[in-house]
Amino acid sequence: MTPVHFSFSAAFILGLMGLAFHRTHLLSALLCLEGMMLSLFIALALWTLQFESTSFSTAPMLLLAFSACEASTGLALLVATARTHGNDRLQNLNLLQC
């Protein structure tokens, strides 16, 4: 494994571990998701540059578009949660209550 592949794999794993273990605030969960998507985007972009094929060149842009949609949805949920509950702590959210 090259150092470049190791760094992107480590960035993705660190984002995944942050998402799994540090779930106190919704904002920290969203930041971990964005870090994971950024590492996936850079790895996919470098992979398409390595193969030098035009058929794979749209994949990083498609991933970036889905990442932007995910970020905007997450921020909208964060604002809605902060308005209704007063904070963004995940322990206060209960999916069984209306």
Side-chain angles (χ1 to χ4, degrees):
M1 180 179 282
T2 63
V4 174
H5 290 113
F6 176 74
S7 64
F8 293 127
S9 298
F12 183 80
I13 296 296
L14 283 174
L16 188 64
M17 286 176 56
L19 185 63
F21 295 128
H22 301 292
R23 293 180 295 168
T24 56
H25 293 280
L26 184 58
L27 185 61
S28 64
L30 289 174
L31 283 174
C32 289
L33 280 174
E34 286 303 312
M36 289 169 56
M37 290 302 287
L38 182 64
S39 67
L40 281 177
F41 169 72
I42 294 173
L44 192 60
L46 288 177
W47 182 64
T48 56
L49 285 175
Q50 185 179 7
F51 281 125
E52 296 176 354
S53 176
T54 57
S55 62
F56 296 124
S57 63
T58 58
M61 295 307 290
L62 187 64
L63 181 71
L64 195 62
F66 283 129
S67 176
C69 292
E70 176 257 332
S72 65
T73 305
L75 286 176
L77 286 173
L78 177 71
V79 168
T81 302
R83 284 185 180 173
T84 58
H85 295 292
N87 58 11
D88 68 334
R89 294 184 61 88
L90 292 176
Q91 285 87 13
N92 296 340
L93 300 178
N94 189 359
L95 295 177
L96 300 176
Q97 284 182 330
C98 291

